[in-house]
Amino acid sequence: MNNQQPVNRVEMELNQWRSREERFSKLFSFSLSSNRALLKEKLEYYDSTAAKYKGTPDLDERFALKVLREERNRIEKQLYPNLMIRLLRRLLVVPFKERVIVRQNERRTEQNNQILYSQLQRAGFSGLSEKIEGQIRQGHPQFAIPVTYYINDKERLDHQLSFVKDQNGQYRFDGYKTNLYNEAKPEEKREQFFSMVAGNNVNATEAYNLLAGRAIQRKGTWMQLDMNDKDPNGNFRIKEFHSGYGYDLEKILQQLPLKELLNKNDADKLCDALKQGSRHSVSFIKDGNEQRYYIEANPQFKSVNIYDEYSRKVTLNTALGNKTMEAVKLTHKINDRQEQSQTKKNGMRIS
């Protein structure tokens, strides 16, 4: 899409007016070509188009503006047969309206750009303002910007950010297609389009975690890509696990001897990371010693997946070793009493 030749924006504007005129012609029995109200509206639109692209360096657009000027003169003469009125309009009215139109367009473009930058920032993409502004200046009805991120020495994310121009000439961030390339599995193609329409707004971190096969939580619902099923557009279908499904991440974590649960801030950070789909590093406390593991949420089986330092999946019994579940519960009770005692010492009260 980025290899498109620059379009003639003046021609695009005129085609939009022609489409509008054709639609209205089907609604009314009388001829619109001589209708005074329509002619005034048409002249206003042509004046606005001429002001918007005045000074363009593009030869095709400059030629289109010359032809447009002839058409404006013809309509103007039809509306205002009096030569003096036409001269006053050209000397006073049109220049004033041009300045107003230029300022309005500049403000609209700036507002549109700020909205796009804000959307991109929330989605996890930054540093693209120059590329976006360059594409917008060319006036394409749609365009895409490629972005590549390296996750590690084996994994790479290739994004294609899509932008679409609406009926009002404003651009919106439509979404992005992401391809996860894994050097260890080059034959495995994992690609998904994440729409930014209707408040979906999956950010780049969550997109990576979804394509890696993990689940994320959005508005109380867990989502996971079904790697064995695709829709007609080639996207993986989404499995959803709503609150009624009964997956309680916090409760499951309380069943594990995790050092991170001893501190509320660390526990909250762990939960937030798992809800974004991350595979997070944790410390299991075993017989007074700490052992490093990695865990990720598994809503479908109402559990967490546990991995060792070599990314090998291990069972809960293996991770716990000789530490029984009763011992885990006892440890948490002791930790809770200690935390409450420390809270009271600090002059705080638990309600």
Side-chain angles (χ1 to χ4, degrees):
M1 196 179 294
N2 279 335
N3 294 326
Q4 290 178 322
Q5 294 298 318
V7 296
N8 188 323
R9 295 171 298 175
V10 179
E11 183 179 349
M12 285 174 53
E13 299 271 5
L14 298 181
N15 282 332
Q16 287 179 7
W17 174 266
R18 182 182 299 170
S19 298
R20 185 188 305 172
E21 196 169 335
E22 288 174 354
R23 289 200 311 271
F24 278 100
S25 295
K26 296 175 182 178
L27 297 175
F28 303 102
S29 58
F30 58 85
S31 174
L32 296 180
S33 59
S34 58
N35 182 272
R36 187 172 181 82
L38 180 69
L39 286 174
K40 281 188 175 182
E41 188 70 24
K42 190 173 185 177
L43 184 58
E44 293 281 340
Y45 186 87
Y46 282 6
D47 286 343
S48 175
T49 301
K52 190 185 298 185
Y53 302 109
K54 184 179 180 180
T56 173
D58 186 271
L59 293 178
D60 276 351
E61 290 181 347
R62 287 163 62 180
F63 176 75
L65 287 175
K66 287 181 180 179
V67 177
L68 178 61
R69 184 171 62 243
E70 296 299 321
E71 181 65 8
R72 289 166 65 200
N73 290 341
R74 185 191 67 79
I75 298 173
E76 188 182 54
K77 190 172 183 179
Q78 187 175 351
L79 284 171
Y80 310 106
N82 189 298
L83 177 60
M84 186 61 66
I85 294 177
R86 292 203 304 274
L87 289 174
L88 287 173
R89 184 179 184 278
R90 292 177 189 178
L91 291 173
L92 301 176
V93 178
V94 173
F96 174 76
K97 288 171 60 178
E98 279 185 355
R99 290 193 294 271
V100 171
I101 291 168
V102 169
R103 286 197 297 269
Q104 288 176 341
N105 287 330
E106 289 175 349
R107 282 197 297 270
R108 276 198 295 265
T109 300
E110 181 62 26
Q111 291 171 354
N112 190 197
N113 290 347
Q114 290 303 320
I115 291 172
L116 291 178
Y117 303 152
S118 177
Q119 290 175 330
L120 289 169
Q121 196 76 31
R122 289 196 299 271
F125 302 102
S126 58
L128 301 173
S129 57
E130 290 186 9
K131 291 182 179 179
I132 292 174
E133 289 172 9
Q135 290 288 337
I136 288 176
R137 280 195 294 270
Q138 293 185 43
H140 293 300
Q142 58 184 17
F143 63 87
I145 293 179
V147 180
T148 295
Y149 293 139
Y150 285 86
I151 305 300
N152 49 54
D153 58 348
K154 291 185 178 181
E155 290 182 305
R156 184 186 77 226
L157 286 177
D158 295 324
H159 302 287
Q160 283 284 334
L161 280 58
S162 298
F163 300 84
V164 178
K165 194 176 187 180
D166 63 21
Q167 298 180 25
N168 299 317
Q170 302 294 292
Y171 285 91
R172 72 170 188 270
F173 180 30
D174 197 47
Y176 59 98
K177 179 182 286 188
T178 296
N179 178 282
L180 174 59
Y181 174 78
N182 191 329
E183 189 177 294
K185 303 174 183 178
E187 74 288 348
E188 185 178 77
K189 185 177 181 181
R190 292 190 174 183
E191 188 175 85
Q192 187 83 356
F193 181 79
F194 298 97
S195 173
M196 291 291 107
V197 180
N200 291 323
N201 301 335
V202 171
N203 64 41
T205 298
E206 293 169 331
Y208 163 66
N209 289 329
L210 284 169
L211 285 169
R214 294 187 285 274
I216 68 170
Q217 189 191 70
R218 303 302 304 274
K219 299 179 180 178
T221 297
W222 286 90
M223 302 163 48
Q224 191 170 17
L225 300 183
D226 188 341
M227 299 302 178
N228 299 312
D229 191 14
K230 289 187 176 183
D231 64 19
N233 295 320
N235 288 315
F236 294 110
R237 296 190 186 277
I238 297 175
K239 299 183 289 186
E240 293 188 348
F241 307 94
H242 297 271
S243 56
Y245 186 75
Y247 181 56
D248 190 334
L249 177 63
E250 286 81 358
K251 185 176 181 180
I252 290 170
L253 292 178
Q254 287 295 328
Q255 298 174 3
L256 303 176
L258 302 179
K259 178 183 177 182
E260 288 72 17
L261 299 182
L262 303 180
N263 180 283
K264 187 178 186 308
N265 287 335
D266 291 340
D268 290 343
K269 288 179 182 178
L270 173 60
C271 281
D272 289 343
L274 294 177
K275 288 176 181 179
Q276 282 195 48
S278 296
R279 180 181 293 180
H280 203 273
S281 172
V282 293
S283 294
F284 274 61
I285 302 174
K286 297 170 59 176
D287 301 322
N289 299 315
E290 295 180 17
Q291 187 163 342
R292 181 66 57 184
Y293 285 100
Y294 297 85
I295 64 173
E296 63 187 28
N298 187 341
Q300 183 169 357
F301 295 100
K302 301 178 182 178
S303 64
V304 293
N305 297 331
I306 306 173
Y307 300 86
D308 64 15
E309 57 183 322
Y310 303 106
S311 296
R312 295 177 301 199
K313 193 173 182 179
V314 299
T315 64
L316 178 58
N317 288 335
T318 300
L320 290 176
N322 296 325
K323 197 172 182 71
T324 64
M325 292 306 297
E326 289 301 320
V328 170
K329 293 177 181 177
L330 179 60
T331 300
H332 282 309
K333 287 182 180 179
I334 294 172
N335 291 334
D336 287 343
R337 291 197 195 101
Q338 290 176 344
E339 187 175 340
Q340 289 180 21
S341 175
Q342 185 63 37
T343 301
K344 290 176 181 178
K345 287 180 183 179
N346 293 335
M348 297 177 64
R349 179 172 60 88
I350 299 177
S351 57

